[in-house]
Amino acid sequence: MHQDIESILFSEETLKARVAQLGAQITADYRGKDLVAACILRGSYIFMADLTRAIDLPLTVDFMAVSSYGAGTSSSGQVEIRKDLSDPIEGKDLLIVEDILDSGNTLFYLRDVLAARKPASIKICTLMDKPDRRTKPIHADYVGFTIPDAFVVGYGLDYAEKYRNLPYVGIVKPSVYGGA
Ligand code: IMP
Ligand code: MG
């Protein structure tokens, strides 16, 4: 285990098994649809790669980068689109692929921006959900894991841009971000 990690929340094996289940569920739900999986960079890149390979359907992928955080551990409430999707989504069945749903600020804003482009449908798939932290009325249609209020890293998720390449999801030692 990495020296800055206090404990492992989800091992590689656990992540793999749950992503396979999500992929099977999405495969069943999207048969015959025009699925576009939209990865919200950067935190979702590893989840996106594994999830799309677990979906046994024709689909296209697209990428969008947003930022609301800076180097802290809670949302600033300001959402900025740093890179937009490359292709139009009108008439498509859009599946937004997120790493974690926390305050809900990011997806509350993004869902409205994307809905205005008239996709046939919009759903959200998030690897993790922290419902206790929600300040905006938004929920995900597919949730990998519901977790308590802790700051997690790995499997794409960062703290100050580090730890994204850890193959598991872990909790960072508070000392790393200046806590006790
Ligand atoms: P929200 O806008 O507060 O829902 O935050 C969503 C975004 O904040 C996620 O896409 C992550 O990039 C980031 N985030 C929220 N909680 C965590 C965490 O525990 N670890 C790493 N990133 C997080
Ligand atoms: Mg993110």
Side-chain angles (χ1 to χ4, degrees):
M1 190 163 70
H2 190 290
Q3 61 187 17
D4 293 349
I5 301 300
E6 183 174 87
S7 61
I8 294 179
L9 199 54
F10 304 118
S11 68
E12 265 186 273
E13 294 69 31
T14 303
L15 289 164
K16 189 166 189 225
R18 185 65 186 126
V19 171
Q21 288 175 341
L22 289 172
Q25 202 183 337
I26 292 165
T27 300
D29 293 351
Y30 281 83
R31 207 168 289 286
K33 306 236 181 213
D34 195 356
L35 174 58
V36 180
C39 175
I40 309 304
L41 296 168
R42 285 172 256 184
S44 308
Y45 79 109
I46 294 178
F47 178 44
M48 173 77 170
D50 286 346
L51 181 70
T52 52
R53 284 180 292 178
I55 300 173
D56 187 17
L57 290 175
L59 57 77
T60 60
V61 298
D62 209 338
F63 300 86
M64 187 162 192
V66 300
S67 95
S68 66
Y69 264 63
T73 59
S74 67
S75 177
S76 64
Q78 301 266 51
V79 180
E80 184 196 347
I81 295 182
R82 294 198 166 167
K83 180 213 173 298
D84 205 340
L85 296 175
S86 294
D87 294 328
I89 52 170
E90 185 169 351
K92 310 268 184 191
D93 293 291
L94 183 69
L95 182 65
I96 300 174
V97 178
E98 248 296 28
D99 53 354
I100 192 162
L101 188 48
D102 185 30
S103 69
N105 276 326
T106 308
L107 284 178
F108 187 75
Y109 169 81
L110 260 190
R111 191 181 51 179
D112 277 1
V113 167
L114 296 172
R117 301 179 191 178
K118 311 241 179 311
S121 67
I122 300 189
K123 282 190 183 179
I124 295 169
C125 177
T126 188
L127 177 66
M128 289 177 280
D129 186 10
K130 291 195 231 177
D132 297 347
R133 302 248 314 162
R134 200 79 86 255
T135 58
K136 290 279 166 51
I138 186 148
H139 74 278
D141 302 278
Y142 304 95
V143 175
F145 303 95
T146 299
I147 66 168
D149 178 9
F151 198 79
V152 295
V153 297
Y155 197 68
L157 290 95
D158 74 306
Y159 169 65
E161 294 305 325
K162 286 161 63 184
Y163 314 110
R164 292 193 194 274
N165 59 325
L166 297 178
Y168 50 81
V169 171
I171 298 176
V172 184
K173 289 178 183 165
S175 57
V176 171
Y177 47 84

